[in-house]
Amino acid sequence: MTSEIPARPELGDIVVGVDGSPSARTAVLWAAAEADRRGRPLHLVHAADTDRRALFANAEMLQAVREAGRDLLIETASTVQERFPDLAVTRELSRQEPVAGLRAAAGHRGTIVVGNRGLGGFSTLMLGSVGLGVAARAETPVIVVRGDDDRPETGSVTAAVHGASDGGWLLVAAAEADARKAVLRLVSVWNMLTHVGHVASMLDDLDGIARQRVHEIGALADRVLDFYPRLVVKHHVETGTSTPGILVEASAHTDLLVMGREHRVLGAGPSLGRVAHVLLHHAHCPVEIVPPAFATRVEET
């Protein structure tokens, strides 16, 4: 008698930001390939920000902004459908600013894809304000497209895990690997320095703490296999003093790096943790950030 496989999380539609920049064009084509893998529609969004512009711009200027946005969406959709003729593609000219427009378009289930640089700001910045804003504030997964366009596929998806609390968002990483028919690699960084100075007696049991981490990561791998019994899942714990540095290095050998967003609040709204911030600026591959609210919904399904 075979055991019943638990319900798997569904990967949602793909929403991608379009602003005419080279980075956005790269992100659009990556998003189209992702939508094609998922068998889901691709939704192109150009946030014209006309609600805010109306405070200082005249009607003629606003109309020019709208027309330029529509032309850009039509041109982008045409480019996508030349490469993916069977892909369902929709277009939206949003009146909101980019972060709000992309969040609204994604709803509660969509995945937002953005490039790693926008049109505004300084060209030397590694990630635009829209990418950071969406990654920090969205309630659905966000993928920031990084890496070289001609980078060969590795056949793997990497999940940056910490412990037992990562069970919810890890299923998103598993679904990504399953869609690609790729290996899922669970990487956890064991940084001894994070424990030094907390409690003196802990220094006598660092080996025990490390063993516990290995046990927890193995349990996470087993949980993934409950949902995806045919998926190849590998897991290991890396030892080092720089968690971001080790994960940036790991990103050079995978097609997608997935991690959960921490529960952090700074000022008026949520913020990215240090590790996520470094990866979004320096990773060698696209990085997917799964927010806590979405991870909770996945865990409950």
Side-chain angles (χ1 to χ4, degrees):
M1 182 177 180
T2 58
S3 59
E4 185 177 349
I5 298 175
R8 301 174 179 180
E10 287 190 15
L11 296 175
D13 297 352
I14 297 291
V15 175
V16 61
V18 178
D19 66 7
S21 66
S23 175
R25 285 194 288 272
T26 298
V28 164
L29 293 176
W30 190 95
E34 176 75 0
D36 189 56
R37 275 190 294 267
R38 294 184 180 191
R40 308 289 293 199
L42 176 69
H43 190 49
L44 306 175
V45 177
H46 176 68
D49 199 12
T50 50
D51 283 348
R52 183 185 63 86
R53 291 173 188 263
L55 299 175
F56 58 85
N58 58 35
E60 183 178 347
M61 180 180 292
L62 291 176
Q63 183 60 27
V65 169
R66 294 188 192 99
E67 290 178 359
R70 291 191 189 100
D71 290 345
L72 177 60
L73 286 167
I74 291 170
E75 177 188 350
T76 304
S78 177
T79 299
V80 168
Q81 300 210 286
E82 284 179 8
R83 298 201 187 187
F84 300 91
D86 297 326
L87 183 64
V89 180
T90 60
R91 309 188 303 267
E92 178 183 348
L93 182 65
S94 173
R95 296 164 47 184
Q96 302 182 74
E97 53 85 19
V99 174
L102 289 168
R103 290 175 63 191
H108 295 292
R109 299 300 305 177
T111 298
I112 300 171
V113 177
V114 293
N116 67 324
R117 294 184 186 177
L119 285 175
F122 299 96
S123 61
T124 54
L125 292 180
M126 298 298 289
L127 180 63
S129 59
V130 172
L132 283 174
V134 173
R137 297 178 181 277
E139 296 181 353
T140 59
V142 175
I143 300 175
V144 176
V145 177
R146 297 193 50 80
D148 297 332
D149 297 348
D150 57 353
R151 188 171 178 265
E153 292 186 356
T154 66
S156 72
V157 170
T158 297
V161 296
H162 181 74
S165 62
D166 294 328
W169 69 259
L170 182 56
L171 293 180
V172 176
E176 293 280 13
D178 185 63
R180 289 168 167 74
K181 296 180 173 54
V183 174
L184 176 63
R185 301 183 186 277
L186 278 55
V187 176
S188 181
V189 179
W190 162 240
N191 186 346
M192 185 184 72
L193 296 182
T194 61
H195 297 281
V196 174
H198 288 276
V199 180
S201 60
M202 286 180 63
L203 295 175
D204 298 328
D205 194 31
L206 287 177
D207 286 343
I209 297 171
R211 286 194 298 272
Q212 178 63 24
R213 173 70 65 85
V214 172
H215 174 76
E216 288 182 358
I217 304 310
L220 284 174
D222 290 339
R223 184 171 190 272
V224 167
L225 290 171
D226 287 340
F227 287 81
Y228 297 91
R230 296 183 180 179
L231 188 65
V232 177
V233 181
K234 300 183 178 182
H235 60 93
H236 64 282
V237 176
E238 293 274 0
T239 302
T241 58
S242 171
T243 298
I246 289 173
L247 293 176
V248 167
E249 173 60 25
S251 73
H253 310 288
T254 192
D255 297 325
L256 177 68
L257 193 147
V258 187
M259 66 182 302
R261 195 178 76 208
E262 301 175 14
H263 292 269
R264 298 171 68 94
V265 178
L266 293 177
S271 174
L272 292 170
R274 181 177 66 92
V275 175
H277 201 276
V278 171
L279 285 169
L280 291 178
H281 282 81
H282 300 291
H284 300 286
C285 72
V287 178
E288 180 168 6
I289 305 291
V290 184
F294 188 86
T296 300
R297 292 199 296 270
V298 168
E299 213 162 16
E300 291 173 349
T301 57

